[in-house]
Amino acid sequence: MTIILGIESTAHTFGIGVVKNGKVLSNVKRSYVTEKGGIIPIEAAEFHQSNKKEIYVEALDKGDIDEKKIDAIAFSQGPGLAPCLLEGIRFAKELSKKLRKPLIPVNHCIAHLEIGRLTNAKDPIMLYASGANTQIIAYEAGKYRVFGETLDIGVGNFIDNFARYAGIGFPGGPVIEKLALEGKNYIELPYKVKGMDVALSGILTNLKQKLESKKYDLNDLAFSMQETVFAMLVETAERALAHTGKNELLLGGGVACNSRLQEMCKIMCKERGAKFFCPEKSLLVDNAAMIAFLGEIMFKSGIKEKNLDKIDIMPRQRTDEVNVIWKKQSL
Ligand code: AMP
Ligand code: MG
């Protein structure tokens, strides 16, 4: 029996999750939101600092967990906003000392991917669509390789930025999704797929200009933005399926909560005879259950660190830098 506690703090969300033998026992989180404007990293870090103790107690309560039974503490090491990551690692080290248990440093993006195992995806292409990250990822030869990605901003940040410009607070994605449902007219926008990559900042500028001109309805712009940008993501994901010969698509990250993106992925998969997987909503947006879940897999393959001085945050850690030594053992 293994019990792993996970800590998530890469950006807007502070979460604590507990996993026992691959089963999520608790997944508690609080997220920093704004009425106007985007995330201010220092403010988000202060939010984490003032909420972490309560979240910890709540997570243990919810899962009915005795802290003495925890075997190790997994935490998001990167990528993420440095002030936010620091709150997470500080708390992880505090707990590690108090409980005398080792730490497991987890890559946040790979956690988004590995939690897909709960959907029974075996060897998928992952379309990872979140706030700061947008990548097409698949496992090949010891690493999660990035087959395509955004050349500038993540799709969630792109949507949030557009929303902010229209006077909507953070996170803007869910509000934009509702507005898009009211949109009736497709307004042509630039379509920017470059090989396996996508570029979003030019489309953002175009959308802002259209908003400023006051000639277009916001609902129509929201609808057209989703249709265009999600088509770009689905196109590159489909090409990755074709290139690799894999036949499973796993959708993940906060933007994966969007029903239209899910629908477009499903249609593409159906048309080419691939299987579509998407974890439940509580495991899509940033959460700590996925950190504990991957932490447990890593722990079981021998990854743990008792020397706390050896571990630091890695704000710019890339998915393909991580040696995925646990994959061979667990397949
Ligand atoms: P993550 O960084 O993975 O936690 O994802 C957060 C991002 O997901 C933010 O940019 C949100 O605006 C975005 N998001 C959440 N729900 C939706 C939705 N229904 N449609 C589009 N984007 C969303
Ligand atoms: Mg994330």
Side-chain angles (χ1 to χ4, degrees):
M1 189 185 76
T2 315
I3 299 184
I4 305 293
L5 179 130
I7 301 174
E8 163 57 31
S9 76
T10 50
H12 45 76
T13 295
F14 192 90
I16 305 261
V18 182
V19 165
K20 180 179 170 187
N21 297 338
K23 205 171 151 247
V24 178
L25 298 184
S26 75
N27 186 17
V28 178
K29 64 184 169 101
R30 287 188 198 162
S31 297
Y32 162 91
V33 293
T34 71
E35 269 179 30
K36 239 181 152 196
I39 306 181
I40 297 165
I42 295 289
E43 279 185 11
E46 283 167 4
F47 174 88
H48 296 347
Q49 150 73 19
S50 54
N51 281 287
K52 59 189 180 187
K53 292 237 159 77
E54 274 181 35
I55 296 174
Y56 177 66
V57 172
E58 202 182 321
L60 293 188
D61 269 3
K62 281 220 166 118
D64 198 15
I65 294 139
D66 172 2
E67 63 176 7
K68 291 191 201 78
K69 300 234 167 91
I70 294 167
D71 293 293
I73 293 125
F75 71 99
S76 267
Q77 185 178 33
L81 302 169
C84 300
L85 288 169
L86 281 172
E87 288 305 328
I89 197 173
R90 270 189 209 126
F91 195 56
K93 287 188 176 180
E94 228 174 85
L95 282 179
S96 165
K97 278 188 203 145
K98 180 177 153 202
L99 306 175
R100 295 170 195 273
K101 298 294 174 188
L103 289 181
I104 308 163
V106 169
N107 176 284
H108 173 92
C109 309
I110 296 181
H112 270 292
L113 204 160
E114 290 280 9
I115 195 70
R117 289 184 194 214
L118 289 180
T119 65
N120 279 330
K122 298 275 179 300
D123 182 27
I125 290 287
M126 182 185 194
L127 172 52
Y128 171 36
S130 82
N133 303 288
T134 299
Q135 293 178 329
I136 313 279
I137 308 168
Y139 179 80
E140 271 318 324
K143 286 192 172 173
Y144 280 111
R145 314 274 168 183
V146 177
F147 283 79
E149 65 187 316
T150 175
L151 294 171
D152 38 43
I153 45 177
V155 64
N157 287 0
F158 159 84
I159 298 173
D160 294 335
N161 199 314
F162 168 57
R164 186 153 82 231
Y165 208 74
I168 299 161
F170 175 83
V175 182
I176 292 290
E177 178 174 14
K178 285 205 186 96
L179 299 182
L181 287 173
E182 304 298 318
K184 307 233 166 359
N185 306 303
Y186 180 79
I187 298 159
E188 187 125 355
L189 293 169
Y191 186 93
K192 295 277 175 195
V193 172
K194 307 197 178 219
M196 288 296 292
D197 298 322
V198 297
L200 298 168
S201 56
I203 308 176
L204 184 59
T205 306
N206 190 289
L207 279 165
K208 286 178 177 174
Q209 285 166 347
K210 288 200 161 75
L211 258 181
E212 251 170 36
S213 76
K214 301 206 168 29
K215 284 193 209 143
Y216 302 91
D217 178 56
L218 178 58
N219 296 343
D220 286 342
L221 285 176
F223 164 70
S224 310
M225 181 278 284
Q226 286 196 174
E227 293 303 305
T228 308
V229 170
F230 294 165
M232 289 162 46
L233 299 180
V234 174
E235 181 193 328
T236 45
E238 178 168 25
R239 199 167 312 123
L241 285 167
H243 278 327
T244 58
K246 295 188 196 277
N247 67 353
E248 297 177 334
L249 178 70
L250 172 66
L251 182 60
V255 183
C257 294
N258 188 291
S259 305
R260 180 61 180 144
L261 177 57
Q262 290 186 13
E263 186 186 21
M264 287 166 83
C265 288
K266 268 184 217 156
I267 295 170
M268 179 272 279
C269 285
K270 194 164 174 231
E271 282 177 357
R272 59 177 296 115
K275 287 188 193 147
F276 174 70
F277 299 92
C278 187
E280 62 175 79
K281 226 170 181 170
S282 64
L283 300 173
L284 284 177
V285 281
D286 287 352
N287 68 88
M290 67 181 189
I291 305 300
F293 184 85
L294 174 52
E296 187 184 13
I297 296 170
M298 292 168 71
F299 182 77
K300 285 184 168 161
S301 73
I303 301 171
K304 58 187 141 202
E305 184 57 64
K306 287 192 181 129
N307 184 350
L308 303 192
D309 295 336
K310 271 197 178 163
I311 301 190
D312 205 351
I313 58 167
M314 297 181 76
R316 295 191 163 272
Q317 187 183 42
R318 276 186 58 87
T319 306
D320 46 12
E321 273 171 30
V322 180
N323 279 322
V324 185
I325 61 159
W326 60 87
K327 190 86 176 165
K328 250 185 246 143
Q329 289 145 341
S330 56
L331 274 180

